[in-house]
């Protein structure tokens, strides 16, 4: 990566300058190493600040409720184009490209562009637990259950403290008539999160042959698109009554 190469160049240059000044090459190792680390930190922070600026633009564009499916798609298209601007830093800084691809994949998944989401997830980061969980949900919808399990297992490694990951995994297994598998997943989730009341409640429900309810995991659960959110009724303050459905 360019930032690392530049930092190495600066570190070597400093070490050589110390040597030229009449000291041994060993005397230049410490200042050279300090110059390397300092340069890398400065360059990495510069890239991070530029990526954060792009993320801020995306968040502002997506924070309000879309008025229609067309509006939602338009916003996602703009957000994807904004994030794609950050891909120019892929060769400059480690992990930037995979993380941006994960973000792009999640956006495309949430507007049902599953082909586009899959292409982005393929280039995404295994450290982004939400993206890997959504990839698992995508494979579930495509009935590729082996790939689904692989994606969810990756999500539980990086997101082992996130109850939504374990719950979504268990829900998909249940829909595939694998109750024993769902029980094992929830048991693992509780083992990793012994104070998580939501996961303990879900595990107890399954153990008592009750339905796995995902309400405790809202609103993040709706991002998976596996169940339709309930209709929203606005406050009744006037004569007109109107029912709106989230899109």
């Amino acid at each position: 990566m360019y930032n690392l190469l530049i930092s190495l160049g600066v570190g070597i240059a400093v070490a050589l300058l110390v040597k030229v000044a009449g000291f041994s090459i060993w005397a230049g190792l410490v200042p050279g190493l300090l110059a390397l680390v300092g340069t890398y930190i400065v360059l990495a922070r510069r890239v991070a600040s530029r990526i954060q600026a792009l993320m801020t633009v995306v968040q502002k564009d997506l924070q309000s409720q879309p008025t229609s499916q067309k509006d939602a798609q338009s916003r996602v298209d703009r957000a994807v184009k904004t994030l794609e601007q950050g891909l120019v830093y892929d060769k400059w800084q480690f992990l930037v490209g995979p993380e941006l691809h994960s973000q792009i994949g999640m956006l495309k998944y949430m507007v049902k562009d599953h082909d586009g989401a899959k292409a982005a997830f393929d280039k995404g980061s295994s450290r982004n637990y939400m993206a890997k969980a959504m990839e698992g949900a995508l494979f579930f919808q495509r009935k590729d259950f082996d790939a689904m399990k692989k994606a969810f297992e990756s999500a539980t490694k990086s997101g082992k403290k996130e109850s939504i990951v374990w719950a979504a995994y268990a829900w998909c297994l249940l829909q595939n008539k694998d109750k024993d598998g769902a029980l094992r997943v929830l048991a693992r989730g509780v083992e990793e999160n012994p104070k998580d009341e939501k996961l303990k409640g879900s595990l107890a429900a399954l153990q008592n042959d009750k339905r796995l309810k995902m309400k405790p995991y809202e609103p993040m659960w709706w991002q998976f698109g596996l169940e339709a959110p309930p209709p929203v009724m606005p406050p009744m303050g006037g004569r007109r009554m109107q029912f709106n459905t989230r899109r």
Side-chain angles (χ1 to χ4, degrees):
M1 295 298 177
Y2 295 155
N3 282 349
L4 180 58
L5 292 175
I6 293 171
S7 301
L8 283 170
V10 172
I12 292 171
V14 169
L16 290 176
L17 285 173
V18 172
K19 176 72 167 90
V20 170
F23 298 92
S24 70
I25 190 63
W26 300 108
L29 286 180
V30 172
L33 182 60
L34 291 175
L36 185 158
V37 173
T39 302
Y40 186 79
I41 289 174
V42 170
L43 294 176
R45 285 180 175 175
R46 184 180 67 172
V47 171
S49 66
R50 293 179 180 179
I51 296 299
Q52 184 57 48
L54 295 176
M55 294 298 295
T56 299
V57 172
V58 170
Q59 289 170 359
K60 287 182 178 179
D61 200 24
L62 298 177
Q63 64 184 1
S64 59
Q65 185 75 13
T67 58
S68 64
Q69 182 62 36
K70 183 178 180 180
D71 180 34
Q73 183 65 60
S74 177
R75 294 188 192 197
V76 166
D77 289 344
R78 289 197 302 270
V80 167
K81 289 180 180 178
T82 299
L83 292 175
E84 286 176 341
Q85 295 175 31
L87 292 175
V88 298
Y89 300 110
D90 185 23
K91 294 182 179 180
W92 286 85
Q93 183 64 39
F94 294 107
L95 304 179
V96 166
E99 181 57 32
L100 287 173
H101 283 299
S102 290
Q103 297 289 337
I104 289 169
M106 287 191 289
L107 288 172
K108 291 189 174 185
Y109 175 85
M110 286 189 284
V111 291
K112 307 298 184 183
D113 180 6
H114 287 179
D115 290 337
K118 175 63 170 57
F121 287 146
D122 286 344
K123 300 176 184 177
S125 170
S126 61
R127 297 160 60 91
N128 190 316
Y129 64 87
M130 196 65 176
K132 296 305 294 184
M134 285 188 178
E135 185 180 24
L138 189 156
F139 283 125
F140 164 77
Q141 293 174 80
R142 292 185 170 184
K143 301 186 184 304
D144 187 345
F145 300 118
D146 288 337
M148 177 200 83
K149 291 178 182 179
K150 183 178 179 180
F152 271 119
E153 286 296 331
S154 179
T156 60
K157 288 179 181 178
S158 56
K160 60 183 179 181
K161 298 300 181 182
E162 304 296 331
S163 59
I164 183 63
V165 171
W166 299 101
Y169 189 2
W171 187 94
C172 289
L173 289 170
L174 273 177
Q175 302 307 306
N176 195 36
K177 311 300 182 184
D178 186 3
K179 182 179 178 180
D180 289 340
L183 283 167
R184 288 193 295 270
V185 164
L186 288 175
R188 288 165 54 199
V190 170
E191 183 178 359
E192 292 287 352
N193 305 274
K195 296 183 180 180
D196 193 311
E197 296 301 326
K198 292 185 292 187
L199 283 176
K200 288 195 289 186
S202 295
L203 177 59
L206 281 195
Q207 290 172 332
N208 290 292
D209 294 324
K210 295 181 180 178
R211 190 170 70 89
L212 176 60
K213 296 181 180 180
M214 299 302 289
K215 186 174 180 58
Y217 307 97
E218 297 173 9
M220 292 186 70
W221 169 240
W222 303 129
Q223 296 180 26
F224 288 88
L226 297 175
E227 287 186 314
V232 176
M233 184 171 65
M236 297 172 59
R239 294 182 178 179
R240 297 180 61 188
M241 184 182 299
Q242 184 175 350
F243 293 90
N244 293 329
T245 303
R246 291 183 185 178
R247 303 170 190 252

